Amino acid sequence: MSTSSYTLCSGSIDQVTLWVVVMRGRAQFDITVHLSRIQGTDLEKQLTTEIEKHRTSLQRGLVPSFEPLHSICKPCLPLLLELAPTKSVCGLSLENFVNAPTYNLELVGENSQIQILGGETCSYAPVLELRPINLADIPQNDLPLFSAKTIRANIDNQESIGSTQGKVSTIDGEVLYFKPRESGREGQFDRELRILLEIQSRGLIMRVPRLQGLVISNETLCTGLLLPLIPAGMDLLHPQTWTLHSLHEKWEAQVRSIVEELHAHYIVWGDVNPGNVVIDEAMDAWVIDFGGGNNAEFVGDGERESVVGDLRGVGRLFGGWLGRRREGVPL
Ligand SMILES: Nc1ncnc2c1ncn2[C@@H]1O[C@H](COP(=O)(O)OP(=O)(O)OP(=O)(O)O)[C@@H](O)[C@H]1O
Ligand SMILES: [Mg+2]
């Protein structure tokens, strides 16, 4: 949830303690309030009323409001603005997310006075789910290494706060697509990197984004990989692609031929789904995303990451799924 000054990432509300995690720019603020530590303040009275409302909504099965969480952020706002001058992550270097400050704040007080503890110290850790891997643990390769300090993140997305994935620019102004190694998705990143390296080492030339390099922090940590940005790329989830009926057959043939060639080299695509077929400005289809896994609408659990799964997935994608979109069947 985003307000004009910060983004609320998570939180918890009960009758004893409230905590909330918010982000502003690259800085993370973990704010806690123990009601016993703000006894007698106006904030305590306000929170008690809001928590009661929250509890009643939950009991009635209604969507509760996050009012109490915003109420504990409010007194911290001037400090948030001071410690994190901008809300946007747009244009920050990727290094900023590898070493980002986390402040643990607590509101305490008596009578009418609320005090914020913890603003003077912070710890540094990766944010936006970044989970770098040691460069030494990546198979030998001769990929170019780009310092995270030189790559500017999210250059076209002012509001993007949950992830560094997307359009970035290099020090030379080249625009690329960054795929970060993220917490909970380490296996996907490692699979994708392994397969892209395999495609590269076999010298395969196909409409699959070719690895451009790795982003490195502190000379030893790999935070993600860089791909070319597919020009004017539009995946098949875009309704505009559904209306271009005359091209569907061509796209299917192109995807089938890429998948066939991959299979000839014992490489399985894996996650066949409309988001992973991208149409470029020349109206040609690319196959992307080698993170694996499966979207059961296209590849059944029993055929996950298999040759059969790929073939069945392509059939379901261009047959049933795109066919229904063509006919205007509602999603
Ligand atoms: N190289 C690229 N050029 C242009 N657009 C891209 C590129 N790579 C990915 N995209 C766009 O970003 C979207 C997400 O990318 P991708 O599927 O690789 O990431 P993901 O994190 O695995 O996503 P998901 O979990 O949704 O599959 C794609 O559906 C596509 O629209
Ligand atoms: Mg995908």
Side-chain angles (χ1 to χ4, degrees), residues 225-251:
L225 55 85
L226 291 169
L227 300 170
L229 188 76
I230 300 170
M234 199 168 28
D235 62 56
L236 290 185
L237 288 169
H238 274 75
Q240 203 185 322
T241 62
W242 309 341
T243 61
L244 301 168
H245 300 183
S246 60
L247 297 171
H248 291 182
E249 227 171 87
K250 174 179 97 168
W251 295 340

Side-chain angles (χ1 to χ4, degrees), residues 31 72-81 105 107 116:
I31 307 169
I72 68 174
C73 290
K74 205 166 163 199
C76 302
L77 252 186
L79 185 63
L80 262 58
L81 300 196
L105 306 179
L107 297 182
I116 306 165

Side-chain angles (χ1 to χ4, degrees), residues 18-288:
L18 297 94
W19 61 260
V20 65
V21 176
V22 300
M23 287 200 73
R24 199 178 140 77
R26 67 183 185 127
Q28 182 175 310
F29 299 88
D30 300 2
I31 307 169
T32 306
V33 175
H34 300 287
L35 287 179
S36 61
R37 304 247 288 162
I38 56 163
Q39 262 176 14
T41 61
D42 290 346
L43 182 62
E44 186 210 5
K45 280 186 222 128
Q46 182 187 343
L47 288 175
T48 308
T49 313
E50 289 173 0
I51 292 169
E52 188 49 33
K53 262 204 254 168
H54 178 84
R55 212 169 56 90
T56 316
S57 301
L58 282 179
Q59 277 170 348
R60 292 188 184 148
L62 303 171
V63 180
S65 110
F66 293 105
E67 216 178 354
L69 299 183
H70 289 296
S71 297
I72 68 174
C73 290
K74 205 166 163 199
C76 302
L77 252 186
L79 185 63
L80 262 58
L81 300 196
E82 181 192 324
L83 296 172
T86 58
K87 184 190 175 197
S88 170
V89 296
C90 174
L92 295 181
S93 83
L94 288 178
E95 183 68 25
N96 277 301
F97 304 100
V98 185
N99 270 306
T102 296
Y103 292 88
N104 283 295
L105 306 179
E106 186 186 352
L107 297 182
V108 293
E110 278 176 286
N111 307 320
S112 58
Q113 223 41 40
I114 287 288
Q115 228 191 309
I116 306 165
L117 305 180
E120 51 305 306
T121 54
C122 66
S123 56
Y124 283 88
V127 282
L128 302 192
E129 309 288 340
L130 270 187
R131 190 58 66 91
I133 181 177
N134 271 321
L135 195 52
D137 294 333
I138 293 178
Q140 275 298 310
N141 65 79
D142 54 3
L143 286 173
L145 302 180
F146 293 77
S147 160
K149 290 183 186 150
T150 67
I151 305 288
R152 287 192 299 123
N154 287 299
I155 58 172
D156 65 343
N157 194 346
Q158 294 281 340
E159 281 297 315
S160 171
I161 187 108
S163 170
T164 47
Q165 181 162 331
K167 238 181 185 182
V168 295
S169 73
T170 68
I171 203 161
D172 305 321
E174 190 181 4
V175 177
L176 296 171
Y177 191 91
F178 177 64
K179 282 201 89 169
R181 189 169 192 271
E182 288 185 331
S183 160
R185 308 184 66 191
E186 295 90 339
Q188 291 177 31
F189 177 87
D190 297 347
R191 181 186 193 269
E192 178 147 47
L193 179 58
R194 183 170 48 75
I195 290 183
L196 292 173
L197 284 170
E198 182 74 21
I199 291 175
Q200 187 201 44
S201 75
R202 287 176 181 266
L204 305 185
I205 310 287
M206 44 172 60
R207 270 191 308 280
V208 165
R210 206 175 161 73
L211 259 178
Q212 301 296 296
L214 302 175
V215 177
I216 301 301
S217 170
N218 217 358
E219 292 179 16
T220 54
L221 293 175
C222 168
T223 64
L225 55 85
L226 291 169
L227 300 170
L229 188 76
I230 300 170
M234 199 168 28
D235 62 56
L236 290 185
L237 288 169
H238 274 75
Q240 203 185 322
T241 62
W242 309 341
T243 61
L244 301 168
H245 300 183
S246 60
L247 297 171
H248 291 182
E249 227 171 87
K250 174 179 97 168
W251 295 340
E252 176 172 0
Q254 289 179 329
V255 168
R256 281 195 185 280
S257 123
I258 295 169
V259 169
E260 244 169 56
E261 195 178 349
L262 288 170
H263 289 174
H265 291 272
Y266 308 103
I267 297 170
V268 170
W269 178 12
D271 191 12
V272 183
N273 76 68
N276 289 340
V277 174
V278 175
I279 309 303
D280 69 14
E281 61 191 352
M283 292 292 146
D284 287 320
W286 292 61
V287 162
I288 67 155

Side-chain angles (χ1 to χ4, degrees), residues 267-323:
I267 297 170
V268 170
W269 178 12
D271 191 12
V272 183
N273 76 68
N276 289 340
V277 174
V278 175
I279 309 303
D280 69 14
E281 61 191 352
M283 292 292 146
D284 287 320
W286 292 61
V287 162
I288 67 155
D289 191 353
F290 290 87
N294 66 311
N295 174 334
E297 189 178 351
F298 301 94
V299 180
D301 293 338
E303 293 174 344
R304 196 171 185 265
E305 294 174 19
S306 68
V307 166
V308 174
D310 277 0
L311 297 177
R312 186 115 52 208
V314 173
R316 286 177 178 158
L317 169 55
F318 286 97
W321 190 89
L322 196 55

